Amino acid sequence: MRLTRDRVVAVALDLLDEVGMENLTMRRLADALDVRNGATYWHFRSKQALLEAMADALLAGLPAGLPAGQPWDELVAEMARRLRQALLSRRDGARLFSGSFFPLPNALAYGETMVGLLVGAGLDHCAATWATDTLTYYVVAHVTEEQLAAALPDGGQAARVRLDAALDPDRHPHLLAARDDLAAPHPIAHFDHGLGLVITGIRSSRG
C-alpha cells in the first residue's frame, strides 16, 4: 500500500490507542506501517510535526452541522462537548492535543467558529479569543483527568481507599462531606457543571 500522509496519521492514531503516548515512537510507527525506519520523514519532518497532524486530525469536522438559530451559549456549549468527545476518542487524546501548537486546518476551523460565536454574543475579538482559550483549557484539563482516571488499575479503587484514609473529620470536614462526590465517577455531570460556570462567566463579562 502506498505510503501517504493520511495513512501515516491514521496508523499513528491507531498505534497511540495501542501503546499510549509514552511508547509511541517513530520506529514503532514504521513497523506498524511495514516500512523502513525513517520513511515517514518524507511526509513529516519530525515526530513533533506528526503529533501536530495527529492532534489536528482529532478535530476533523468539529464545527460541522451546528444547528442554525440557536442561542450563542448553547452553540458554545455544543462545541465544547464536541471537543471533549474528540479528545476522548483516542487514548491520551488530551495529552496529544495539549502537547502541540498546530495552526492546521481543523484547529483553525474550531478556533474560528468559537471566536465567531463569542463575537456574535457581544465580545470584542480580544475577549472572544481569550474566552475561547479559557473554554479550551477547561475541556483539555477535564479530559486529561478523565483519561488518567480511566487508566488507573482496578477502576481507581486503590485511589478511593487512599482518599478515605487521608480524610480527617477534624481537619477536612467539608471534603469529608463531599467525599462521595470526590470519589464517584460522574464525568459528564462534572464536565457540564464546570462548563456552565465558564459560560456563566463569559455571559456576565459582556459589555
Side-chain angles (χ1 to χ4, degrees), residues 49-92:
L50 172 62
L51 294 176
E52 291 170 3
M54 292 167 62
D56 196 60
L58 295 182
L59 309 188
L62 222 58
L66 278 180
Q70 296 295 316
W72 70 267
D73 50 353
E74 293 182 14
L75 295 175
V76 166
E78 172 64 17
M79 285 293 293
R81 293 188 183 103
R82 290 183 183 190
L83 177 60
R84 173 177 174 266
Q85 288 301 320
L87 300 182
L88 284 171
S89 71
R90 294 290 184 169
R91 179 177 175 181
D92 294 334

mmCIF file of all heavy atoms in Angstrom, residues 49-92:
data_model
loop_
_atom_site.group_PDB
_atom_site.id
_atom_site.type_symbol
_atom_site.label_atom_id
_atom_site.label_comp_id
_atom_site.label_asym_id
_atom_site.label_seq_id
_atom_site.Cartn_x
_atom_site.Cartn_y
_atom_site.Cartn_z
ATOM 1 N N ALA A 49 6.038 17.248 14.272
ATOM 2 C CA ALA A 49 5.138 17.574 13.157
ATOM 3 C C ALA A 49 4.070 16.500 12.996
ATOM 4 O O ALA A 49 2.904 16.797 12.694
ATOM 5 C CB ALA A 49 5.936 17.726 11.867
ATOM 6 N N LEU A 50 4.442 15.246 13.203
ATOM 7 C CA LEU A 50 3.465 14.165 13.142
ATOM 8 C C LEU A 50 2.446 14.293 14.265
ATOM 9 O O LEU A 50 1.234 14.150 14.041
ATOM 10 C CB LEU A 50 4.170 12.813 13.232
ATOM 11 C CG LEU A 50 3.255 11.594 13.380
ATOM 12 C CD1 LEU A 50 2.338 11.452 12.166
ATOM 13 C CD2 LEU A 50 4.074 10.328 13.592
ATOM 14 N N LEU A 51 2.906 14.568 15.481
ATOM 15 C CA LEU A 51 1.990 14.725 16.604
ATOM 16 C C LEU A 51 1.005 15.859 16.359
ATOM 17 O O LEU A 51 -0.181 15.763 16.706
ATOM 18 C CB LEU A 51 2.772 14.968 17.897
ATOM 19 C CG LEU A 51 3.641 13.816 18.396
ATOM 20 C CD1 LEU A 51 4.435 14.241 19.620
ATOM 21 C CD2 LEU A 51 2.786 12.582 18.716
ATOM 22 N N GLU A 52 1.478 16.936 15.743
ATOM 23 C CA GLU A 52 0.587 18.054 15.433
ATOM 24 C C GLU A 52 -0.489 17.622 14.443
ATOM 25 O O GLU A 52 -1.671 17.968 14.592
ATOM 26 C CB GLU A 52 1.395 19.226 14.879
ATOM 27 C CG GLU A 52 2.295 19.886 15.911
ATOM 28 C CD GLU A 52 3.259 20.883 15.295
ATOM 29 O OE1 GLU A 52 3.186 21.104 14.072
ATOM 30 O OE2 GLU A 52 4.087 21.442 16.041
ATOM 31 N N ALA A 53 -0.087 16.874 13.425
ATOM 32 C CA ALA A 53 -1.059 16.393 12.435
ATOM 33 C C ALA A 53 -2.048 15.422 13.069
ATOM 34 O O ALA A 53 -3.243 15.430 12.737
ATOM 35 C CB ALA A 53 -0.333 15.729 11.269
ATOM 36 N N MET A 54 -1.577 14.596 13.989
ATOM 37 C CA MET A 54 -2.470 13.678 14.688
ATOM 38 C C MET A 54 -3.481 14.446 15.534
ATOM 39 O O MET A 54 -4.681 14.126 15.538
ATOM 40 C CB MET A 54 -1.657 12.733 15.581
ATOM 41 C CG MET A 54 -0.794 11.743 14.820
ATOM 42 S SD MET A 54 0.415 10.910 15.902
ATOM 43 C CE MET A 54 -0.668 10.047 17.063
ATOM 44 N N ALA A 55 -3.002 15.458 16.253
ATOM 45 C CA ALA A 55 -3.902 16.270 17.077
ATOM 46 C C ALA A 55 -4.928 16.984 16.209
ATOM 47 O O ALA A 55 -6.115 17.048 16.553
ATOM 48 C CB ALA A 55 -3.094 17.271 17.895
ATOM 49 N N ASP A 56 -4.490 17.504 15.074
ATOM 50 C CA ASP A 56 -5.427 18.187 14.188
ATOM 51 C C ASP A 56 -6.466 17.227 13.635
ATOM 52 O O ASP A 56 -7.637 17.587 13.466
ATOM 53 C CB ASP A 56 -4.672 18.867 13.044
ATOM 54 C CG ASP A 56 -5.523 19.894 12.331
ATOM 55 O OD1 ASP A 56 -5.972 20.852 12.993
ATOM 56 O OD2 ASP A 56 -5.758 19.751 11.115
ATOM 57 N N ALA A 57 -6.058 15.999 13.372
ATOM 58 C CA ALA A 57 -6.999 15.003 12.850
ATOM 59 C C ALA A 57 -8.130 14.729 13.833
ATOM 60 O O ALA A 57 -9.264 14.429 13.413
ATOM 61 C CB ALA A 57 -6.260 13.707 12.519
ATOM 62 N N LEU A 58 -7.860 14.835 15.128
ATOM 63 C CA LEU A 58 -8.906 14.621 16.123
ATOM 64 C C LEU A 58 -10.039 15.632 15.980
ATOM 65 O O LEU A 58 -11.180 15.360 16.357
ATOM 66 C CB LEU A 58 -8.338 14.711 17.541
ATOM 67 C CG LEU A 58 -7.324 13.655 17.980
ATOM 68 C CD1 LEU A 58 -6.931 13.892 19.423
ATOM 69 C CD2 LEU A 58 -7.882 12.264 17.807
ATOM 70 N N LEU A 59 -9.715 16.818 15.452
ATOM 71 C CA LEU A 59 -10.695 17.902 15.399
ATOM 72 C C LEU A 59 -11.450 17.956 14.079
ATOM 73 O O LEU A 59 -12.211 18.895 13.843
ATOM 74 C CB LEU A 59 -9.989 19.253 15.624
ATOM 75 C CG LEU A 59 -9.083 19.370 16.856
ATOM 76 C CD1 LEU A 59 -8.629 20.818 17.030
ATOM 77 C CD2 LEU A 59 -9.794 18.880 18.107
ATOM 78 N N ALA A 60 -11.273 16.970 13.238
ATOM 79 C CA ALA A 60 -11.892 16.986 11.918
ATOM 80 C C ALA A 60 -13.412 17.112 12.033
ATOM 81 O O ALA A 60 -14.053 16.355 12.758
ATOM 82 C CB ALA A 60 -11.529 15.726 11.142
ATOM 83 N N GLY A 61 -13.967 18.093 11.330
ATOM 84 C CA GLY A 61 -15.414 18.256 11.260
ATOM 85 C C GLY A 61 -16.076 18.762 12.522
ATOM 86 O O GLY A 61 -17.308 18.719 12.633
ATOM 87 N N LEU A 62 -15.319 19.273 13.461
ATOM 88 C CA LEU A 62 -15.901 19.675 14.746
ATOM 89 C C LEU A 62 -17.028 20.706 14.603
ATOM 90 O O LEU A 62 -18.064 20.578 15.259
ATOM 91 C CB LEU A 62 -14.792 20.223 15.661
ATOM 92 C CG LEU A 62 -14.845 19.778 17.121
ATOM 93 C CD1 LEU A 62 -14.794 18.276 17.247
ATOM 94 C CD2 LEU A 62 -13.704 20.405 17.903
ATOM 95 N N PRO A 63 -16.872 21.744 13.771
ATOM 96 C CA PRO A 63 -17.958 22.732 13.675
ATOM 97 C C PRO A 63 -19.090 22.324 12.733
ATOM 98 O O PRO A 63 -20.073 23.058 12.618
ATOM 99 C CB PRO A 63 -17.246 23.983 13.118
ATOM 100 C CG PRO A 63 -15.789 23.665 13.070
ATOM 101 C CD PRO A 63 -15.683 22.176 13.024
ATOM 102 N N ALA A 64 -18.967 21.198 12.061
ATOM 103 C CA ALA A 64 -19.932 20.848 11.014
ATOM 104 C C ALA A 64 -21.324 20.626 11.586
ATOM 105 O O ALA A 64 -21.493 19.981 12.629
ATOM 106 C CB ALA A 64 -19.467 19.593 10.282
ATOM 107 N N GLY A 65 -22.310 21.173 10.902
ATOM 108 C CA GLY A 65 -23.701 20.899 11.259
ATOM 109 C C GLY A 65 -24.182 21.526 12.545
ATOM 110 O O GLY A 65 -25.154 21.042 13.141
ATOM 111 N N LEU A 66 -23.541 22.617 12.999
ATOM 112 C CA LEU A 66 -24.074 23.308 14.171
ATOM 113 C C LEU A 66 -25.484 23.791 13.848
ATOM 114 O O LEU A 66 -25.721 24.368 12.784
ATOM 115 C CB LEU A 66 -23.195 24.498 14.545
ATOM 116 C CG LEU A 66 -21.935 24.228 15.367
ATOM 117 C CD1 LEU A 66 -21.206 25.547 15.620
ATOM 118 C CD2 LEU A 66 -22.259 23.546 16.680
ATOM 119 N N PRO A 67 -26.431 23.588 14.742
ATOM 120 C CA PRO A 67 -27.814 23.981 14.446
ATOM 121 C C PRO A 67 -27.944 25.493 14.284
ATOM 122 O O PRO A 67 -27.417 26.263 15.094
ATOM 123 C CB PRO A 67 -28.606 23.471 15.652
ATOM 124 C CG PRO A 67 -27.585 23.294 16.739
ATOM 125 C CD PRO A 67 -26.307 22.941 16.062
ATOM 126 N N ALA A 68 -28.638 25.904 13.255
ATOM 127 C CA ALA A 68 -28.829 27.328 12.996
ATOM 128 C C ALA A 68 -29.893 27.891 13.936
ATOM 129 O O ALA A 68 -30.833 27.192 14.331
ATOM 130 C CB ALA A 68 -29.242 27.548 11.543
ATOM 131 N N GLY A 69 -29.705 29.160 14.285
ATOM 132 C CA GLY A 69 -30.722 29.853 15.056
ATOM 133 C C GLY A 69 -30.723 29.584 16.535
ATOM 134 O O GLY A 69 -31.609 30.063 17.261
ATOM 135 N N GLN A 70 -29.763 28.830 17.031
ATOM 136 C CA GLN A 70 -29.685 28.551 18.461
ATOM 137 C C GLN A 70 -28.960 29.685 19.181
ATOM 138 O O GLN A 70 -28.115 30.369 18.604
ATOM 139 C CB GLN A 70 -28.956 27.238 18.710
ATOM 140 C CG GLN A 70 -29.654 26.013 18.151
ATOM 141 C CD GLN A 70 -30.976 25.751 18.828
ATOM 142 O OE1 GLN A 70 -31.086 25.823 20.045
ATOM 143 N NE2 GLN A 70 -32.001 25.469 18.031
ATOM 144 N N PRO A 71 -29.248 29.907 20.474
ATOM 145 C CA PRO A 71 -28.534 30.933 21.242
ATOM 146 C C PRO A 71 -27.038 30.651 21.271
ATOM 147 O O PRO A 71 -26.615 29.486 21.258
ATOM 148 C CB PRO A 71 -29.156 30.826 22.640
ATOM 149 C CG PRO A 71 -30.491 30.188 22.428
ATOM 150 C CD PRO A 71 -30.310 29.250 21.266
ATOM 151 N N TRP A 72 -26.247 31.700 21.368
ATOM 152 C CA TRP A 72 -24.793 31.561 21.307
ATOM 153 C C TRP A 72 -24.262 30.649 22.403
ATOM 154 O O TRP A 72 -23.340 29.859 22.163
ATOM 155 C CB TRP A 72 -24.124 32.933 21.409
ATOM 156 C CG TRP A 72 -24.239 33.575 22.771
ATOM 157 C CD1 TRP A 72 -25.203 34.440 23.189
ATOM 158 C CD2 TRP A 72 -23.361 33.380 23.900
ATOM 159 N NE1 TRP A 72 -24.995 34.798 24.500
ATOM 160 C CE2 TRP A 72 -23.868 34.162 24.960
ATOM 161 C CE3 TRP A 72 -22.223 32.629 24.118
ATOM 162 C CZ2 TRP A 72 -23.261 34.219 26.216
ATOM 163 C CZ3 TRP A 72 -21.599 32.674 25.361
ATOM 164 C CH2 TRP A 72 -22.121 33.464 26.392
ATOM 165 N N ASP A 73 -24.852 30.752 23.620
ATOM 166 C CA ASP A 73 -24.310 29.951 24.722
ATOM 167 C C ASP A 73 -24.556 28.456 24.511
ATOM 168 O O ASP A 73 -23.718 27.623 24.885
ATOM 169 C CB ASP A 73 -24.857 30.417 26.065
ATOM 170 C CG ASP A 73 -26.372 30.551 26.084
ATOM 171 O OD1 ASP A 73 -27.013 30.405 25.027
ATOM 172 O OD2 ASP A 73 -26.926 30.807 27.182
ATOM 173 N N GLU A 74 -25.673 28.105 23.887
ATOM 174 C CA GLU A 74 -25.929 26.698 23.589
ATOM 175 C C GLU A 74 -24.964 26.177 22.523
ATOM 176 O O GLU A 74 -24.517 25.023 22.588
ATOM 177 C CB GLU A 74 -27.378 26.514 23.133
ATOM 178 C CG GLU A 74 -28.403 26.773 24.233
ATOM 179 C CD GLU A 74 -29.825 26.537 23.759
ATOM 180 O OE1 GLU A 74 -30.003 25.920 22.687
ATOM 181 O OE2 GLU A 74 -30.754 26.962 24.461
ATOM 182 N N LEU A 75 -24.646 27.022 21.550
ATOM 183 C CA LEU A 75 -23.718 26.606 20.499
ATOM 184 C C LEU A 75 -22.297 26.482 21.034
ATOM 185 O O LEU A 75 -21.570 25.553 20.665
ATOM 186 C CB LEU A 75 -23.772 27.605 19.339
ATOM 187 C CG LEU A 75 -25.111 27.658 18.594
ATOM 188 C CD1 LEU A 75 -25.088 28.760 17.536
ATOM 189 C CD2 LEU A 75 -25.426 26.312 17.946
ATOM 190 N N VAL A 76 -21.902 27.399 21.890
ATOM 191 C CA VAL A 76 -20.573 27.313 22.503
ATOM 192 C C VAL A 76 -20.469 26.051 23.357
ATOM 193 O O VAL A 76 -19.460 25.339 23.318
ATOM 194 C CB VAL A 76 -20.285 28.579 23.334
ATOM 195 C CG1 VAL A 76 -19.085 28.373 24.255
ATOM 196 C CG2 VAL A 76 -20.036 29.770 22.411
ATOM 197 N N ALA A 77 -21.518 25.755 24.123
ATOM 198 C CA ALA A 77 -21.517 24.533 24.932
ATOM 199 C C ALA A 77 -21.454 23.297 24.040
ATOM 200 O O ALA A 77 -20.744 22.330 24.356
ATOM 201 C CB ALA A 77 -22.765 24.485 25.814
ATOM 202 N N GLU A 78 -22.158 23.320 22.930
ATOM 203 C CA GLU A 78 -22.116 22.194 21.999
ATOM 204 C C GLU A 78 -20.709 21.998 21.441
ATOM 205 O O GLU A 78 -20.227 20.855 21.333
ATOM 206 C CB GLU A 78 -23.107 22.435 20.859
ATOM 207 C CG GLU A 78 -23.040 21.422 19.718
ATOM 208 C CD GLU A 78 -23.395 20.009 20.109
ATOM 209 O OE1 GLU A 78 -24.008 19.811 21.189
ATOM 210 O OE2 GLU A 78 -23.064 19.072 19.356
ATOM 211 N N MET A 79 -20.040 23.090 21.077
ATOM 212 C CA MET A 79 -18.672 22.981 20.568
ATOM 213 C C MET A 79 -17.735 22.422 21.633
ATOM 214 O O MET A 79 -16.862 21.599 21.338
ATOM 215 C CB MET A 79 -18.173 24.343 20.085
ATOM 216 C CG MET A 79 -18.752 24.785 18.756
ATOM 217 S SD MET A 79 -18.211 23.736 17.378
ATOM 218 C CE MET A 79 -16.454 24.135 17.336
ATOM 219 N N ALA A 80 -17.909 22.859 22.876
ATOM 220 C CA ALA A 80 -17.066 22.348 23.962
ATOM 221 C C ALA A 80 -17.298 20.853 24.163
ATOM 222 O O ALA A 80 -16.347 20.088 24.376
ATOM 223 C CB ALA A 80 -17.353 23.110 25.249
ATOM 224 N N ARG A 81 -18.542 20.425 24.083
ATOM 225 C CA ARG A 81 -18.835 18.997 24.239
ATOM 226 C C ARG A 81 -18.266 18.194 23.074
ATOM 227 O O ARG A 81 -17.788 17.068 23.254
ATOM 228 C CB ARG A 81 -20.344 18.782 24.353
ATOM 229 C CG ARG A 81 -20.936 19.371 25.634
ATOM 230 C CD ARG A 81 -22.394 18.986 25.811
ATOM 231 N NE ARG A 81 -22.946 19.631 27.000
ATOM 232 C CZ ARG A 81 -23.741 20.693 26.977
ATOM 233 N NH1 ARG A 81 -24.114 21.215 25.812
ATOM 234 N NH2 ARG A 81 -24.181 21.224 28.097
ATOM 235 N N ARG A 82 -18.322 18.756 21.878
ATOM 236 C CA ARG A 82 -17.741 18.066 20.725
ATOM 237 C C ARG A 82 -16.229 17.931 20.886
ATOM 238 O O ARG A 82 -15.646 16.902 20.538
ATOM 239 C CB ARG A 82 -18.072 18.817 19.432
ATOM 240 C CG ARG A 82 -19.527 18.746 19.032
ATOM 241 C CD ARG A 82 -19.755 19.443 17.697
ATOM 242 N NE ARG A 82 -21.164 19.444 17.323
ATOM 243 C CZ ARG A 82 -21.623 19.821 16.130
ATOM 244 N NH1 ARG A 82 -20.762 20.242 15.187
ATOM 245 N NH2 ARG A 82 -22.907 19.803 15.859
ATOM 246 N N LEU A 83 -15.586 18.985 21.401
ATOM 247 C CA LEU A 83 -14.141 18.903 21.623
ATOM 248 C C LEU A 83 -13.832 17.822 22.645
ATOM 249 O O LEU A 83 -12.894 17.038 22.465
ATOM 250 C CB LEU A 83 -13.605 20.257 22.082
ATOM 251 C CG LEU A 83 -12.113 20.305 22.421
ATOM 252 C CD1 LEU A 83 -11.260 19.926 21.214
ATOM 253 C CD2 LEU A 83 -11.721 21.689 22.945
ATOM 254 N N ARG A 84 -14.612 17.774 23.715
ATOM 255 C CA ARG A 84 -14.396 16.725 24.719
ATOM 256 C C ARG A 84 -14.495 15.338 24.089
ATOM 257 O O ARG A 84 -13.639 14.476 24.317
ATOM 258 C CB ARG A 84 -15.424 16.860 25.847
ATOM 259 C CG ARG A 84 -15.388 15.718 26.853
ATOM 260 C CD ARG A 84 -16.379 15.933 27.989
ATOM 261 N NE ARG A 84 -16.420 14.763 28.855
ATOM 262 C CZ ARG A 84 -17.287 13.762 28.734
ATOM 263 N NH1 ARG A 84 -18.211 13.794 27.781
ATOM 264 N NH2 ARG A 84 -17.242 12.735 29.552
ATOM 265 N N GLN A 85 -15.532 15.106 23.312
ATOM 266 C CA GLN A 85 -15.699 13.797 22.687
ATOM 267 C C GLN A 85 -14.558 13.486 21.718
ATOM 268 O O GLN A 85 -14.108 12.336 21.624
ATOM 269 C CB GLN A 85 -17.047 13.735 21.960
ATOM 270 C CG GLN A 85 -18.240 13.651 22.890
ATOM 271 C CD GLN A 85 -18.184 12.431 23.806
ATOM 272 O OE1 GLN A 85 -17.799 11.336 23.389
ATOM 273 N NE2 GLN A 85 -18.551 12.620 25.066
ATOM 274 N N ALA A 86 -14.089 14.501 20.997
ATOM 275 C CA ALA A 86 -12.977 14.289 20.064
ATOM 276 C C ALA A 86 -11.718 13.861 20.803
ATOM 277 O O ALA A 86 -11.017 12.934 20.369
ATOM 278 C CB ALA A 86 -12.718 15.573 19.266
ATOM 279 N N LEU A 87 -11.439 14.501 21.927
ATOM 280 C CA LEU A 87 -10.235 14.152 22.687
ATOM 281 C C LEU A 87 -10.375 12.789 23.356
ATOM 282 O O LEU A 87 -9.395 12.052 23.493
ATOM 283 C CB LEU A 87 -9.947 15.231 23.738
ATOM 284 C CG LEU A 87 -9.698 16.638 23.194
ATOM 285 C CD1 LEU A 87 -9.382 17.599 24.336
ATOM 286 C CD2 LEU A 87 -8.601 16.655 22.157
ATOM 287 N N LEU A 88 -11.593 12.448 23.769
ATOM 288 C CA LEU A 88 -11.824 11.149 24.382
ATOM 289 C C LEU A 88 -11.792 10.007 23.370
ATOM 290 O O LEU A 88 -11.703 8.837 23.754
ATOM 291 C CB LEU A 88 -13.179 11.136 25.097
ATOM 292 C CG LEU A 88 -13.268 11.860 26.438
ATOM 293 C CD1 LEU A 88 -14.724 11.938 26.888
ATOM 294 C CD2 LEU A 88 -12.418 11.173 27.500
ATOM 295 N N SER A 89 -11.866 10.338 22.097
ATOM 296 C CA SER A 89 -11.963 9.296 21.076
ATOM 297 C C SER A 89 -10.673 8.507 20.911
ATOM 298 O O SER A 89 -10.683 7.431 20.305
ATOM 299 C CB SER A 89 -12.360 9.908 19.724
ATOM 300 O OG SER A 89 -11.301 10.674 19.165
ATOM 301 N N ARG A 90 -9.580 9.032 21.427
ATOM 302 C CA ARG A 90 -8.294 8.338 21.317
ATOM 303 C C ARG A 90 -7.598 8.305 22.668
ATOM 304 O O ARG A 90 -7.691 9.246 23.459
ATOM 305 C CB ARG A 90 -7.379 9.052 20.309
ATOM 306 C CG ARG A 90 -7.872 9.011 18.876
ATOM 307 C CD ARG A 90 -7.768 7.616 18.294
ATOM 308 N NE ARG A 90 -8.149 7.585 16.875
ATOM 309 C CZ ARG A 90 -7.952 6.537 16.088
ATOM 310 N NH1 ARG A 90 -7.386 5.444 16.552
ATOM 311 N NH2 ARG A 90 -8.338 6.576 14.821
ATOM 312 N N ARG A 91 -6.908 7.227 22.923
ATOM 313 C CA ARG A 91 -6.115 7.119 24.143
ATOM 314 C C ARG A 91 -5.137 8.293 24.220
ATOM 315 O O ARG A 91 -4.471 8.628 23.240
ATOM 316 C CB ARG A 91 -5.352 5.795 24.133
ATOM 317 C CG ARG A 91 -4.457 5.569 25.340
ATOM 318 C CD ARG A 91 -3.813 4.204 25.251
ATOM 319 N NE ARG A 91 -2.863 3.965 26.315
ATOM 320 C CZ ARG A 91 -2.149 2.832 26.445
ATOM 321 N NH1 ARG A 91 -2.328 1.846 25.567
ATOM 322 N NH2 ARG A 91 -1.291 2.692 27.441
ATOM 323 N N ASP A 92 -5.078 8.923 25.392
ATOM 324 C CA ASP A 92 -4.185 10.066 25.618
ATOM 325 C C ASP A 92 -4.479 11.223 24.660
ATOM 326 O O ASP A 92 -3.594 12.029 24.361
ATOM 327 C CB ASP A 92 -2.715 9.651 25.492
ATOM 328 C CG ASP A 92 -2.277 8.680 26.577
ATOM 329 O OD1 ASP A 92 -2.885 8.693 27.668
ATOM 330 O OD2 ASP A 92 -1.335 7.912 26.339
#
